[in-house]
Amino acid sequence: MASLATFLPLMALAGTALAAPTPGKPHGQIVKPIRKLSLGPRPYWLVDHLEDGPLKTKLASCADKEMKPSDWSISHRGGGTLQFPEHTFDSILAGTRMGAGIQECDVAFTKDLELVCRHSQCDLHTTTNVVTIPELNAKCTVPFQPAANGKPATAKCCTSDFTMVELRQLCAKMDASNPDATTPAEYLEGTPSWQTDLHAKTTCSRLYSVKEYIKFVDGLGLKFTPELKTPEVAMPFVGPDGKNYTQAKYAQQLIDEFKTAGINPSRVYPQSFLYDDVLYWLKNEPRFGKQAVLLDESGDPPNTLEQATASLAKYAKAGVKIVAPPLPYLVTVGKDGKSIVPSEYAKTAKKLGLKIITWSLERGGWLGDGSHGGYYYASIASVINQESDVFKLLHVLAQDVGVIGVFSDWSATVTYYANCFGLF
């Protein structure tokens, strides 16, 4: 047996090798649909811990079922975001292997007006290693500043600060930062304990353009839901040619990417939080607009959910077919103080004939740690006490609210429910 002295130099070398991410092997040119799903242990574990009753009995009966992809299971930022950096091919493959039938790409624009998949125009400082690359950090809207004199570390790096070529130099990471950081490397830390760096720490997952997203997801045989992110820079943005890049041009460019790629509009669900974007698509690109999704967070400020509910009539009258509010807009606690029931928002949308998609499951951390799930479960917090309660929520969303899809950071949970109840 080798001595400890033999291993110490090897351990030191290993530590050096793991100090920085190494480029991941590029995915091959041949991309094809994934036929054999692998949901992993999580949904089965959730069923095991669900309290006894008809729902558990039904879900448990599906444990040996061969699972199939479902359009009811919509990836959020790839669908593997609980364990893989968001908007990477790794996250897309994880979500696809767990049965997501629709793949999301949040869309932002670069300095040279290419479209790239990022959840926010200005999140590169928390979702990539940009602050550790001096020449790119210097181009950030706000370059990295270390914590000092009681003030937290700060940075703000936007897609519009860089060209697409420059963005390809970055490695994606779990979305987090360390406010106590005194160095760029320390700033990359801070991943929530309910997520993991297991698949991100030592492998470099590259960012991808919307063109690449379309080609990849098309090869997988899935549907698309690109979200036009609200710009965080003043619009119109001045492009490299000195011309104004307006919101309308931005909205049109997204659709043009799909038209150029020859994608049938029936496979595309464009989304936006900006009502004007959806109206633009309805008027100028009706084949895509008829499946446009109006994301709705207008009821977030205190005492505004009633107004958000009233606005649904306006959206329906304008031709909007699908609305997508967050989970808490759709459910509330029943009069018995124990059950989960549809909210007035949900009932109004249904009465108006609006289809509903909701977001985002497996996003807010633990349900049984006293937080009761945080924001995403705020309207039903008093009846959320353990991790398996996620299935109680899904059951009401499917059977009582009638949503047509659920975004999730870990697609397996939604896929399991969808397969068990025949939602495809």
Side-chain angles (χ1 to χ4, degrees):
M1 181 179 290
S3 67
L4 179 61
T6 302
F7 284 111
L8 286 176
L10 295 175
M11 292 169 66
L13 285 173
T16 302
L18 298 180
T22 55
K25 294 180 180 179
H27 297 292
Q29 295 300 310
I30 299 176
V31 180
K32 57 184 180 180
I34 293 172
R35 303 300 183 190
K36 185 71 173 179
L37 300 190
S38 177
L39 301 192
R42 181 166 176 78
Y44 303 91
W45 175 80
L46 290 170
V47 173
D48 289 342
H49 288 268
L50 193 62
E51 63 186 49
D52 292 340
L55 178 58
K56 180 172 183 174
T57 300
K58 171 63 176 176
L59 290 170
S61 74
C62 299
D64 294 326
K65 189 179 183 71
E66 183 175 347
M67 300 295 169
K68 300 176 182 178
S70 169
D71 289 354
W72 204 73
S73 180
I74 306 174
S75 83
H76 187 235
R77 313 185 195 183
T81 320
L82 195 62
Q83 294 190 19
F84 296 86
E86 62 188 47
H87 290 312
T88 60
F89 289 129
D90 291 325
S91 184
I92 286 181
L93 282 174
T96 301
R97 287 173 176 138
M98 291 187 285
I102 303 176
Q103 276 289 346
E104 183 189 39
C105 164
D106 294 313
V107 180
F109 59 84
T110 65
K111 186 176 183 178
D112 53 345
L113 302 184
E114 290 291 321
L115 298 183
V116 62
C117 294
R118 287 286 91 197
H119 181 256
S120 168
Q121 185 175 26
C122 298
D123 71 0
L124 294 175
H125 51 289
T126 62
T127 62
T128 75
N129 64 338
V130 64
V131 299
T132 66
I133 305 174
E135 62 272 25
L136 296 183
N137 176 61
K139 296 184 177 184
C140 289
T141 299
V142 179
F144 170 73
Q145 296 293 323
N149 302 318
K151 295 182 178 180
T154 59
K156 183 178 182 181
C157 304
C158 307
T159 59
S160 51
D161 293 331
F162 307 99
T163 65
M164 192 65 224
V165 169
E166 290 171 329
L167 290 182
R168 293 190 193 283
Q169 300 176 42
L170 304 180
C171 297
K173 59 180 282 291
M174 300 302 283
D175 186 5
S177 62
N178 175 12
D180 299 321
T182 58
T183 67
E186 290 178 352
Y187 192 71
L188 303 187
E189 300 169 358
T191 300
S193 55
W194 46 270
Q195 293 183 334
T196 179
D197 287 316
L198 180 65
H199 304 106
K201 196 75 169 179
T202 61
T203 300
C204 181
S205 295
R206 301 295 186 183
L207 279 58
Y208 50 78
S209 67
V210 168
K211 290 183 178 71
E212 291 167 316
Y213 153 77
I214 293 173
K215 182 178 180 180
F216 196 70
V217 174
D218 187 36
L220 291 170
L222 304 177
K223 294 180 181 179
F224 311 81
T225 185
E227 180 192 334
L228 197 71
K229 299 304 295 189
T230 302
E232 295 184 41
V233 296
M235 296 293 280
F237 180 78
V238 179
D241 59 1
K243 296 181 180 179
N244 284 343
Y245 182 67
T246 64
Q247 186 69 29
K249 288 181 179 179
Y250 180 32
Q252 185 62 53
Q253 184 180 357
L254 174 59
I255 301 302
D256 287 345
E257 297 277 28
F258 286 91
K259 293 169 72 173
T260 299
I263 303 298
N264 191 309
S266 66
R267 296 174 62 195
V268 185
Y269 295 82
Q271 321 166 58
S272 181
F273 278 104
L274 294 183
Y275 182 42
D276 284 348
D277 288 341
V278 175
L279 292 178
Y280 176 89
W281 292 325
L282 285 168
K283 178 181 179 181
N284 297 283
E285 293 288 352
R287 295 181 67 209
F288 289 88
K290 68 180 181 180
Q291 289 193 157
V293 180
L294 177 59
L295 296 158
D296 187 8
E297 59 182 0
S298 62
D300 274 13
N303 304 314
T304 58
L305 187 55
E306 185 176 343
Q307 180 55 50
T309 301
S311 295
L312 292 171
K314 177 181 71 173
Y315 305 149
K317 185 177 180 180
V320 174
K321 303 299 183 184
I322 308 172
V323 292
L327 296 167
Y329 286 25
L330 296 177
V331 289
T332 188
V333 177
K335 293 180 179 179
D336 60 3
K338 299 177 182 179
S339 58
I340 302 172
V341 299
S343 67
E344 286 302 315
Y345 185 107
K347 289 185 283 188
T348 300
K350 196 170 184 177
K351 188 181 299 182
L352 290 166
L354 290 166
K355 295 179 180 179
I356 306 170
I357 293 172
T358 191
W359 46 276
S360 296
L361 215 69
E362 304 279 31
R363 178 89 194 141
W366 292 289
L367 307 186
D369 65 344
S371 69
H372 305 283
Y375 170 80
Y376 294 102
Y377 295 81
S379 63
I380 53 172
S382 63
V383 297
I384 295 296
N385 299 298
Q386 57 183 3
E387 309 311 311
S388 56
D389 286 344
V390 65
F391 275 128
K392 293 181 180 179
L393 173 59
L394 277 176
H395 196 50
V396 173
L397 291 172
Q399 307 304 323
D400 300 328
V401 176
V403 302
I404 64 169
V406 180
F407 281 94
S408 178
D409 275 23
W410 197 247
S411 297
T413 305
V414 179
T415 299
Y416 187 100
Y417 183 92
N419 273 262
C420 200
F421 284 88
L423 302 172
F424 297 101

